[in-house]
Amino acid sequence: MTLNILFAARPERWQQYRAPLESALAAEGLDVNLGTDLPPETVDYIVYAPNGPLRDFTPYTRARAVLSLWAGVETIVGNPTLKIPLTRMVDHGLTQGMTEWVVGHSLRHHLGIDSHIHGQNGTWNPISPPLAEDRRITILGLGTLGQACAAALTRIGFPVTGWSRTPKIVEGITCRAGPEGLRAALATADICILLLPDTPATENILNTETIGWMPRGAFVMNPGRGPLIDDTALLSALDTGQIAHATLDVFRIEPLPADHPYWAHPNVTVTPHIAAETRADTAAQVVAENIRRSEAGQPLRYLVDPERGY
Ligand code: NDP
Ligand code: OXD
């Protein structure tokens, strides 16, 4: 049977994904009709990315699942017209990219690299940075990406604490969980990395009170989602020195408006939502495998729980 698969994303994504999806679906032994404009009542699966044309899922009466190309699903999970299973993206390229971004920016702050890049004024100032074992890192969010980053940072020698919604045991790191575990997790956050999803429970998780729980002069890195941070509280903590520097990849409004105070702040680094990009080749394989599983009556992988919102 030929499966009708709708690709619902921004037009430029179609150019990027068409060939990888076609070959990954064929490799799974699936006979498909893949397109961007199929009659809704004929569609069997929807491959989805934010900012595309699809808002109303009601006409897709036959569709069996929506497969997100993004790990973060906050733009779709609360859509009241979505009544079928939704999967999120878990993909090697995404995980490896995030690990590299997190390790790179952590080492920048840990080693004080900026002072050598920007401080070449003829002064010989041989102050050595501490060893990794003396710089504590806390990762808020201990899922696919948080755990991968924790493993990489631990290998370098950083003592890592992770915080999640449900209790966990992860070898080599200190695990804290739930609202009652947040204060202890932040108390050792010389560097704090946000890898939480954007849900009602995580909005403004870094605010005036919780930033105050962190050691003075801590570094904040947010590759998670913009709403995790109360921006006013962060700017004020940067001004008082409670936070030494914030490296931010994600924002409430993207692209970050040109007049946003983050751009001009000397202790903020903005990266344009590039911490981890879904790579078409590997992501297409994840999507194809899930469609094959669904057709074989096996459970979908990486299912989103609409109640939890991630
Ligand atoms: P996962 O779903 O695998 O992990 C989410 C983690 O957050 C889990 O450990 C979960 O806890 C924890 N969590 C969720 N809600 C709470 C809460 N209320 N309190 C405490 N912990 C909570 O997601 P990923 O690791 O794959 O991705 C994380 C986020 O990274 C994505 O949602 C997305 O927003 C962002 N992202 C950003 C990218 C970028 O380029 N900047 C690229 C890809 C993703 P538990 O384990 O108990 O469920
Ligand atoms: C994602 C992202 O969620 O790129 O995949 O932010």
Side-chain angles (χ1 to χ4, degrees):
M1 188 190 73
T2 302
L3 294 174
N4 290 320
I5 301 180
L6 178 73
F7 186 83
R10 290 204 315 259
E12 63 271 26
R13 295 283 181 213
W14 178 233
Q15 303 311 321
Q16 205 183 346
Y17 274 91
R18 181 180 190 165
L21 274 172
E22 280 172 352
S23 77
L25 289 158
E28 291 290 347
L30 297 165
D31 173 21
V32 305
N33 171 29
L34 179 67
T36 56
D37 189 19
L38 304 176
E41 67 285 358
T42 68
V43 169
D44 297 297
Y45 294 94
I46 301 172
V47 179
Y48 172 90
N51 309 318
L54 182 51
R55 300 276 184 280
D56 182 6
F57 292 89
T58 315
Y60 296 89
T61 47
R62 188 167 111 180
R64 303 199 259 299
V66 175
L67 302 108
S68 169
L69 292 174
W70 284 38
V73 290
E74 70 283 351
T75 60
I76 178 177
V77 69
N79 186 321
T81 67
L82 180 66
K83 312 272 192 213
I84 54 176
L86 168 68
T87 64
R88 65 193 200 85
M89 183 50 63
V90 172
D91 147 62
H92 163 75
L94 206 51
T95 306
Q96 181 62 22
M98 183 60 79
T99 304
E100 292 179 14
W101 188 94
V102 162
V103 169
H105 287 277
S106 296
L107 285 175
R108 169 195 173 192
H109 295 310
H110 169 62
L111 296 174
I113 289 173
D114 287 21
S115 65
H116 301 291
I117 293 174
H118 301 300
Q120 306 287 302
N121 62 358
T123 310
W124 188 259
N125 190 12
I127 298 173
S128 298
L131 291 176
E133 64 205 47
D134 296 319
R135 179 93 63 187
R136 301 159 303 173
I137 298 186
T138 291
I139 304 179
L140 302 185
L142 216 38
T144 306
L145 300 179
Q147 288 200 33
C149 293
L153 292 165
T154 303
R155 275 197 295 277
I156 297 171
F158 292 104
V160 175
T161 296
W163 183 70
S164 51
R165 188 179 57 84
T166 54
K168 291 199 188 317
I169 299 173
V170 180
E171 200 187 331
I173 71 168
T174 304
C175 295
R176 313 266 184 205
E180 65 286 359
L182 182 58
R183 189 173 188 140
L186 289 178
T188 55
D190 298 327
I191 298 177
C192 179
I193 299 161
L194 287 91
L195 274 169
L196 294 161
D198 173 11
T199 71
T202 60
E203 183 169 8
N204 291 329
I205 202 86
L206 279 198
N207 53 49
T208 303
E209 183 184 14
T210 57
I211 288 172
W213 296 344
M214 295 166 66
R216 186 165 174 80
F219 299 96
V220 167
M221 291 166 39
N222 186 14
R225 281 294 183 263
L228 301 175
I229 296 182
D230 174 340
D231 294 322
T232 308
L234 177 60
L235 283 163
S236 144
L238 284 159
D239 290 339
T240 64
Q242 169 63 14
I243 299 300
H245 196 106
T247 297
L248 309 172
D249 185 59
V250 284
F251 306 90
R252 284 169 195 268
I253 300 174
E254 294 181 6
L256 184 66
D259 60 353
H260 196 285
Y262 282 148
W263 283 116
H265 201 290
N267 295 332
V268 174
T269 300
V270 170
T271 63
H273 200 144
I274 46 76
E277 166 90 0
T278 305
R279 317 277 154 163
D281 281 346
T282 48
Q285 289 165 22
V286 175
V287 166
E289 190 207 341
N290 241 349
I291 292 176
R292 196 259 305 140
R293 288 175 67 89
S294 171
E295 288 303 295
Q298 296 167 344
L300 287 165
R301 302 179 78 191
Y302 318 128
L303 265 180
V304 172
D305 178 343
E307 293 300 315
R308 294 184 324 197
Y310 69 98

